[in-house]
C-alpha cells in the first residue's frame, strides 16, 4: 500500500487532484461498462422476444390438434328421454333410439325396520357404540362383542422385495384361531391392501401365491408373489386384530393427562411404571389405578370409554409407563359384484366408534357401497355405487355379520339386484351397465324408459333421433383466436424491430446518475434501451417467413379446394404499415367451415411430406422453432451460462477487460500518489532547509 501524504507541505488538495486525473483515466473503463450494460439490455430484449415466440408456439401446438376443427355439437329430438355429447373423434352422423326397455339401476337393500329400541328416542349416531349399545333394537347381543385390539399399519414393501413384517409390540400377536389342532391367523378379521387394492389372505404356507394373494403368518410376516413389487416401492396397508394392545410412553412432573391409543377398554392386564430405575406394578379397579386391590390410594383415573388417563400425582421426568390391555370390538363383512370383479372387505370396528364413524368407514372403503341412516324413518340403506348387473356366483351385495343382520336389521333376501340398461339403437337391441355410455365418440345418457311394452302395438312413441354435427361457431372462434394471437405477435415484433435508436443516450455512469433525479434517470434509460433490436435480421426474417408460410398454397389433396387462406376468408389488411396483419371475413370463413370442415382443418394442420404439402400451422411451427433456436444461440435463456451463447461470450470478454483495466487503474492511482508524496516530501525537506538557513543567518 502506497503511503499517501495529502498536501501537508504544499497545501494542495492532493485527493481532489488525483480524482480528477483518474476521472480522465477511467473514460475507457466507463465505455467498457456502458457496452456491457447495452449488451445485457440487448440480451434481455432477445429473451423477451423468445418468450413471446414460446407462447405463440404453444398456441401452434394446440392448433395442430384436430379437436380445434372437429368441435361436435349434438341434438336430441327428446332431451327429456335421451341426451348426448360428442368428442372430436365422433363422426357427423345420426342415431335412432327406438326404445329404452329399462334403465340401469344400482343394487340396493333397505333394512327391515327401525334400529332404535325406543322409537321416540332415536339412536344417537355420534355416541360410542359400546356405551350406546342398549339404545339399539335389539340390545348388545347383536354386536357380537369381542376383546383384543384393532390395529392398522401402513408399511412399505421395497422394490424386488416380497416379504415384509408387521411391527408388533412385546407379547402382541395377530389374533389366531384353532382349526383341527392347528393355530392359524384369523383371516376373517383382516384386510391387506396394496396401493388400495384388497389382497386375498392365504395361511397355508404350501400354497403357491399368485398376483393378488398374500401369505400371512401369526408372527405378523407378510409374503407376496414375486410380481407385486417389481416396478418400485409399494404401500401395504394392513388392518388386523391383535390379542391385546401395549402402549408405552413417558410422563414427567408436568404431565397431568395421557391418552391411550385405544378406547372402549375391556380390561387392563398390567400397568407398570418405572421411575428412577424402580418398576412398580399397578392394577385398575373401579377405573382407578391402584397399587393393590381394595387400596384407597390411587395415582390416577382411567376413562375406559375414551382411554384417557388423568394423573393425581407428579412423576419424575422420563418416567416410563407401560399399559397392557384389551378393548371391545366387533367385525362384519360386505362383498359386492362390480365391473372389476367381486370385492370383499372386513370391517373392524372399535367399541369407541360411533355409528357415524362406521358409516364413514363403509363409504370410504373400496367395496363400492354407500351406507346411509335416515333419522326420520330410523332405517339404514346400502346402495352399490355402480349401476348394472355384475353378479356371477354371488349377489350384487352380500351381507355378513350379526351387526348388519341383528343390529342394523339387514336381510340378504331383501337385496334388490342391480340391472343393466336395455335399449334399441339403430335397430340393435343391446345393454349397458350404466345409463351413460359411449359409442363411436358419442356419449349417450338415457333418462326415461319408453316403448317398453311387450306388446309392440302399444309402443307408440316415435324413435328419438340424436344427430352429431360440426359446431361451426366454435371452430370459427378457435381460428379467430389464433389469428388474433398471430396479429398481436407480429405487432410486438414489428414495434421492437422499428424502435428509434438514440445513440447519444448511452447507459448512465455512476457519476451521471448522481446528477439526475429518479425521473430523469428513468427517461434517460428509456431512450438508452430503445432500438437495441432495430432491424434485427433474425426477427425481420421471421416476419417475412411467416407471411410466406401463410400465403404459400397447401398442395395437399386433403385440403381440397381450400388450399389458400384467402379462399376461406382470411387475408392481409389493406394497411401495409401493419406488417401483414390478418383480417377475417366472418361470413366467408363460417361458410367454408360449414361446407367442408375437413378441408379447412387440413389447410391448417396437414402434416405433409414436404413444405408445399404441410399445413399453415406446421409451417409456422417450424419457422418459429428455428427462430427461437437462433435467438437462444445468440442470447441464451435463464438457465444458460455466458459461455453457451454469443452475447454471453462477449460479456465474458468485457468482464475480463473491465477487471484488467480496473487493476491497471489501481496501479496508475498508486503512481500518482507516489509522485505527489515525493513532491510533498521534497517541499517539506526544502522548507526545513530554508528554516534552518533563516535561523543560521539570524
Amino acid at each position: 500500500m502506497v503511503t499517501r501524504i495529502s498536501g501537508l507541505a504544499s497545501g494542495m488538495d492532493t485527493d481532489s487532484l488525483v480524482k480528477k486525473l483518474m476521472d480522465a483515466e477511467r473514460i475507457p473503463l466507463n465505455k467498457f461498462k456502458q457496452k456491457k450494460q447495452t449488451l445485457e439490455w440487448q440480451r434481455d430484449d432477445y429473451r423477451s422476444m423468445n418468450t413471446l415466440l414460446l407462447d405463440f408456439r404453444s398456441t401452434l401446438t394446440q392448433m395442430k390438434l384436430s379437436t380445434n376443427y372437429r368441435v361436435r355439437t349434438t341434438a336430441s329430438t327428446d332431451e327429456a328421454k335421451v341426451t348426448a355429447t360428442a368428442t372430436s373423434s365422433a363422426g357427423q352422423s345420426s342415431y335412432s333410439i327406438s326404445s329404452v326397455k329399462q334403465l340401469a339401476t344400482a343394487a340396493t337393500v333397505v333394512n327391515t325396520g327401525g334400529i332404535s329400541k325406543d322409537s321416540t328416542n332415536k339412536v344417537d349416531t355420534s355416541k360410542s357404540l359400546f356405551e350406546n349399545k342398549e339404545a339399539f333394537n335389539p340390545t348388545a347381543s347383536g354386536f357380537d362383542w369381542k376383546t383384543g385390539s384393532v390395529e392398522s399399519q401402513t408399511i412399505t414393501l421395497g422394490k424386488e422385495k416380497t416379504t415384509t413384517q408387521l411391527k408388533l409390540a412385546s407379547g402382541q400377536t395377530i389374533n389366531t384361531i384353532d382349526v383341527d389342532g392347528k393355530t392359524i391367523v384369523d383371516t376373517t378379521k383382516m384386510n391387506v391392501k396394496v396401493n388400495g387394492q384388497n389382497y386375498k389372505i392365504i395361511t397355508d404356507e404350501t400354497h403357491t401365491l399368485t398376483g393378488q394373494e398374500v401369505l400371512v403368518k401369526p408372527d405378523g410376516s407378510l409374503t407376496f408373489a414375486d410380481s407385486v413389487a417389481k416396478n418400485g416401492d409399494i404401500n401395504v396397508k394392513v388392518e388386523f386384530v391383535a390379542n391385546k394392545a401395549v402402549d408405552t410412553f413417558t410422563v414427567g412432573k408436568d404431565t397431568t393427562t395421557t391418552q391411550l391409543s385405544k378406547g372402549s377398554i375391556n380390561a387392563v392386564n398390567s400397568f407398570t411404571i418405572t421411575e428412577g430405575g424402580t418398576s412398580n406394578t399397578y392394577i385398575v379397579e373401579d377405573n382407578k389405578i391402584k397399587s393393590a386391590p381394595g387400596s384407597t390410594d390411587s395415582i390416577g383415573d382411567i376413562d375406559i370409554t375414551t382411554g384417557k388417563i388423568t394423573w393425581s400425582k407428579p412423576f419424575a421426568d422420563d418416567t416410563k409407563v407401560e399399559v397392557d390391555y384389551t378393548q371391545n370390538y366387533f367385525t362384519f363383512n360386505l362383498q359386492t359384484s362390480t365391473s372389476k370383479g367381486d370385492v370383499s372387505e372386513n370391517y373392524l370396528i372399535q367399541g369407541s366408534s360411533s355409528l357415524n364413524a362406521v358409516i364413514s368407514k363403509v363409504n370410504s372403503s373400496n367395496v363400492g357401497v354407500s351406507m346411509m341412516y335416515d333419522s326420520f324413518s330410523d332405517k339404514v340403506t346400502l346402495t352399490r355405487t355402480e349401476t348394472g348387473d355384475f353378479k356371477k356366483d354371488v349377489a350384487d351385495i352380500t351381507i355378513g355379520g350379526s351387526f348388519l343382520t341383528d343390529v342394523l336389521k339387514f336381510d340378504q333376501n331383501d337385496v334388490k339386484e342391480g340391472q343393466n340398461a336395455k335399449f334399441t339403437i339403430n335397430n340393435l337391441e343391446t345393454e349397458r351397465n350404466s345409463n351413460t355410455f359411449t359409442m363411436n365418440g358419442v356419449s349417450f345418457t338415457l333418462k326415461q324408459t319408453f316403448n317398453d311394452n311387450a306388446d309392440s302395438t302399444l309402443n307408440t312413441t316415435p324413435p328419438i333421433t340424436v344427430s352429431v354435427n360440426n359446431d361451426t361457431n366454435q371452430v370459427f372462434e378457435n381460428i379467430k383466436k389464433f389469428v388474433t394471437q398471430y396479429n398481436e405477435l407480429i405487432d410486438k415484433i414489428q414495434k421492437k424491430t422499428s424502435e428509434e435508436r438514440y445513440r447519444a443516450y448511452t447507459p448512465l455512469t455512476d457519476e451521471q446518475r448522481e446528477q439526475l433525479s429518479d425521473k430523469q434517470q428513468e427517461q434517460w434509460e428509456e431512450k438508452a434501451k430503445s432500438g437495441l433490436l432495430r432491424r434485427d435480421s433474425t426477427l425481420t426474417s421471421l416476419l417475412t417467413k411467416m407471411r410466406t408460410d401463410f400465403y404459400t398454397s397447401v398442395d395437399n389433396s386433403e385440403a381440397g379446394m381450400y388450399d389458400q387462406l384467402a379462399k376461406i376468408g382470411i387475408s392481409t389488411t389493406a394497411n401495409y404499415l401493419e406488417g401483414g396483419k390478418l383480417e377475417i371475413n366472418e361470413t366467408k370463413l363460417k361458410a367454408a367451415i360449414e361446407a367442408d370442415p375437413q378441408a379447412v382443418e387440413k389447410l391448417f394442420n396437414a402434416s405433409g411430406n414436404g413444405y408445399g404439402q404441410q399445413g399453415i400451422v406446421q409451417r409456422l411451427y417450424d419457422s418459429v422453432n428455428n427462430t427461437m433456436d437462433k435467438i437462444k444461440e445468440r442470447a441464451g435463456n435463464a438457465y444458460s451460462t455466458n459461455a453457451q451463447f454469443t452475447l454471453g461470450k462477449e460479456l465474458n470478454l468485457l468482464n475480463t477487460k473491465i477487471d484488467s483495466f480496473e487493476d491497471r487503474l489501481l496501479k496508475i492511482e498508486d503512481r500518482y500518489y507516489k509522485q505527489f508524496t515525493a513532491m510533498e516530501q521534497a517541499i517539506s525537506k526544502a522548507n526545513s532547509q530554508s528554516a534552518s538557513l533563516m535561523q543560521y543567518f539570524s
Side-chain angles (χ1 to χ4, degrees):
M1 182 69 183
V2 176
T3 301
R4 297 177 177 181
I5 302 174
S6 181
L8 293 178
S10 66
M12 299 170 61
D13 186 354
T14 305
D15 290 337
S16 178
L17 290 171
V18 171
K19 181 180 182 304
K20 290 180 180 179
L21 290 168
M22 291 306 299
D23 284 344
E25 297 286 351
R26 284 195 178 91
I27 290 176
L29 177 63
N30 289 337
K31 291 186 180 298
F32 285 150
K33 289 184 176 180
Q34 288 173 324
K35 176 63 175 174
K36 177 184 175 182
Q37 180 65 78
T38 300
L39 287 177
E40 288 175 343
W41 285 342
Q42 190 177 51
R43 176 201 62 195
D44 294 343
D45 278 352
Y46 273 123
R47 290 181 179 179
S48 67
M49 289 293 101
N50 239 9
T51 300
L52 290 176
L53 294 177
L54 177 62
D55 292 340
F56 187 62
R57 189 178 69 178
S58 297
T59 298
L60 292 171
T61 299
Q62 291 299 314
M63 289 301 292
K64 288 181 182 182
L65 304 177
S66 295
T67 52
N68 288 287
Y69 312 96
R70 301 180 191 176
V71 184
R72 302 307 190 215
T73 181
T74 58
S76 170
T77 55
D78 190 345
E79 293 199 346
K81 294 183 175 65
V82 180
T83 59
T85 58
T87 65
S88 60
S89 63
Q92 298 185 67
S93 57
S94 65
Y95 298 85
S96 175
I97 300 178
S98 54
S99 71
V100 177
K101 293 182 178 180
Q102 69 179 33
L103 294 176
T105 59
T108 185
V109 57
V110 180
N111 72 344
T112 57
I115 64 173
S116 301
K117 184 176 182 180
D118 186 346
S119 60
T120 58
N121 296 304
K122 304 290 178 64
V123 167
D124 188 337
T125 59
S126 63
K127 281 189 176 180
S128 157
L129 286 171
F130 189 80
E131 297 303 308
N132 201 31
K133 58 184 180 291
E134 299 295 339
F136 287 86
N137 182 17
T139 57
S141 60
F143 284 92
D144 190 20
W145 294 104
K146 297 178 175 60
T147 60
S149 175
V150 175
E151 304 284 343
S152 177
Q153 291 184 20
T154 299
I155 49 184
T156 300
L157 184 63
K159 184 178 180 181
E160 300 296 343
K161 301 292 184 182
T162 58
T163 302
T164 189
Q165 180 73 45
L166 292 174
K167 298 176 182 177
L168 300 178
S170 175
Q172 189 181 45
T173 62
I174 298 176
N175 253 8
T176 57
I177 57 177
D178 188 275
V179 179
D180 297 330
K182 182 180 179 183
T183 300
I184 63 171
V185 174
D186 187 357
T187 59
T188 62
K189 302 182 183 68
M190 197 167 188
N191 290 309
V192 176
K193 297 180 181 179
V194 178
N195 289 340
Q197 296 297 317
N198 278 326
Y199 268 56
K200 183 179 179 181
I201 297 170
I202 304 297
T203 57
D204 182 0
E205 297 184 33
T206 64
H207 178 82
T208 301
L209 297 174
T210 59
Q212 283 195 254
E213 294 180 338
V214 55
L215 174 66
V216 182
K217 298 180 182 179
D219 65 355
S221 65
L222 284 71
T223 302
F224 296 88
D226 291 341
S227 59
V228 174
K230 282 197 171 182
N231 296 323
D233 294 353
I234 57 173
N235 291 322
V236 180
K237 182 175 182 180
V238 185
E239 295 176 305
F240 63 99
V241 177
N243 61 327
K244 61 182 180 179
V246 181
D247 285 3
T248 302
F249 48 89
T250 58
V251 294
K253 62 182 179 181
D254 297 325
T255 305
T256 58
T257 61
T258 302
Q259 180 65 54
L260 295 177
S261 62
K262 310 294 179 184
S264 189
I265 296 173
N266 176 268
V268 176
N269 303 323
S270 66
F271 205 113
T272 304
I273 298 178
T274 303
E275 186 175 18
T278 302
S279 295
N280 294 298
T281 301
Y282 295 81
I283 65 164
V284 174
E285 186 178 69
D286 298 328
N287 298 342
K288 293 187 178 296
I289 306 169
K290 303 177 179 181
S291 58
S295 173
T296 58
D297 294 330
S298 108
I299 62 171
D301 298 326
I302 181 168
D303 187 332
I304 62 172
T305 300
T306 63
K308 181 180 180 180
I309 299 174
T310 303
W311 302 104
S312 56
K313 61 158 287 185
F315 296 93
D317 286 339
D318 298 324
T319 295
K320 182 179 178 182
V321 181
E322 183 178 285
V323 185
D324 183 314
Y325 62 102
T326 59
Q327 68 169 167
N328 302 297
Y329 76 93
F330 65 87
T331 68
F332 64 90
N333 175 273
L334 283 171
Q335 180 172 320
T336 59
S337 297
T338 72
S339 58
K340 297 180 180 178
D342 293 341
V343 180
S344 177
E345 184 147 343
N346 300 313
Y347 297 90
L348 315 179
I349 309 300
Q350 302 179 52
S352 55
S353 298
S354 65
L355 181 59
N356 284 340
V358 173
I359 293 173
S360 176
K361 190 176 182 71
V362 170
N363 293 344
S364 61
S365 68
N366 293 328
V367 79
V369 167
S370 174
M371 179 182 283
M372 181 188 74
Y373 169 70
D374 175 45
S375 60
F376 180 81
S377 64
D378 197 33
K379 287 189 173 185
V380 186
T381 65
L382 285 170
T383 304
R384 192 182 58 192
T385 54
E386 279 188 303
T387 60
D389 180 7
F390 298 106
K391 62 181 179 294
K392 295 177 182 177
D393 299 329
V394 297
D396 279 342
I397 299 177
T398 303
I399 298 164
S402 62
F403 173 72
L404 295 180
T405 58
D406 297 338
V407 178
L408 299 188
K409 295 187 174 182
F410 283 111
D411 189 333
Q412 183 67 55
N413 294 324
D414 290 338
V415 175
K416 184 179 180 181
E417 305 291 355
Q419 65 180 25
N420 290 339
K422 295 182 179 181
F423 56 97
T424 302
I425 183 169
N426 291 356
N427 293 323
L428 173 67
E429 291 187 10
T430 187
E431 298 182 21
R432 289 294 187 276
N433 299 128
S434 171
N435 292 315
T436 297
F437 57 92
T438 300
M439 284 184 171
N440 301 327
V442 182
S443 178
F444 297 89
T445 299
L446 307 179
K447 293 184 173 182
Q448 293 181 20
T449 59
F450 63 95
N451 292 344
D452 54 347
N453 291 293
D455 184 354
S456 61
T457 61
L458 299 177
N459 296 326
T460 57
T461 303
I464 296 173
T465 300
V466 174
S467 57
V468 181
N469 297 295
N470 208 38
D471 189 343
T472 302
N473 288 331
Q474 187 58 56
V475 175
F476 169 80
E477 290 299 327
N478 292 341
I479 295 175
K480 181 180 178 181
K481 181 180 178 181
F482 164 64
V483 170
T484 299
Q485 289 177 310
Y486 170 75
N487 286 341
E488 290 173 352
L489 174 70
I490 64 171
D491 180 64
K492 290 175 181 178
I493 293 177
Q494 187 164 271
K495 285 180 179 178
K496 199 65 182 174
T497 56
S498 60
E499 275 183 344
E500 187 67 33
R501 183 79 175 101
Y502 301 96
R503 298 190 179 279
Y505 288 83
T506 56
L508 293 169
T509 63
D510 293 338
E511 292 78 7
Q512 289 171 333
R513 287 183 182 280
E514 292 174 359
Q515 300 170 13
L516 299 176
S517 66
D518 291 344
K519 183 65 176 178
Q520 288 173 324
Q521 291 180 39
E522 182 181 340
Q523 292 172 337
W524 183 285
E525 285 197 348
E526 184 178 339
K527 289 187 177 295
K529 290 180 179 181
S530 176
L532 294 179
L533 299 184
R534 181 176 176 82
R535 295 173 183 162
D536 180 78
S537 60
T538 302
L539 294 173
T540 54
S541 295
L542 174 63
L543 293 177
T544 301
K545 184 67 171 62
M546 288 196 296
R547 285 194 291 270
T548 303
D549 293 339
F550 266 113
Y551 290 108
T552 301
S553 298
V554 177
D555 185 15
N556 191 312
S557 59
E558 292 179 305
M561 62 180 180
Y562 298 138
D563 59 350
Q564 286 186 323
L565 276 182
K567 292 184 178 180
I568 63 170
I570 301 177
S571 57
T572 53
T573 59
N575 185 356
Y576 73 93
L577 295 177
E578 291 184 333
K581 284 187 178 181
L582 301 175
E583 61 182 2
I584 299 174
N585 182 322
E586 294 191 6
T587 302
K588 192 172 182 179
L589 178 55
K590 287 182 178 180
I593 296 170
E594 187 71 32
D596 194 345
Q598 184 177 1
V600 173
E601 174 188 344
K602 293 306 175 182
L603 174 63
F604 284 96
N605 72 358
S607 53
N609 296 322
Y611 181 83
Q613 294 185 351
Q614 287 179 342
I616 292 169
V617 169
Q618 184 61 57
R619 295 171 182 173
L620 289 171
Y621 186 92
D622 293 341
S623 297
V624 169
N625 212 42
N626 291 336
T627 300
M628 289 179 65
D629 289 341
K630 291 179 181 178
I631 292 177
K632 183 179 178 181
E633 185 179 338
R634 178 157 180 75
N637 57 30
Y639 305 103
S640 302
T641 63
N642 281 353
Q644 293 175 312
F645 57 96
T646 304
L647 291 181
K649 293 174 183 177
E650 293 182 35
L651 286 170
N652 282 343
L653 182 60
L654 276 173
N655 286 332
T656 301
K657 290 182 177 180
I658 289 171
D659 291 341
S660 176
F661 204 89
E662 286 178 338
D663 290 340
R664 179 172 174 268
L665 289 177
L666 285 174
K667 293 177 181 178
I668 292 174
E669 188 178 47
D670 284 345
R671 190 187 74 214
Y672 280 138
Y673 272 108
K674 283 180 181 179
Q675 291 172 341
F676 277 106
T677 298
M679 181 190 73
E680 292 291 339
Q681 290 173 339
I683 293 174
S684 178
K685 186 175 182 180
N687 288 340
S688 178
Q689 290 175 343
S690 175
S692 296
L693 288 172
M694 290 294 294
Q695 186 178 10
Y696 176 77
F697 284 115
S698 66

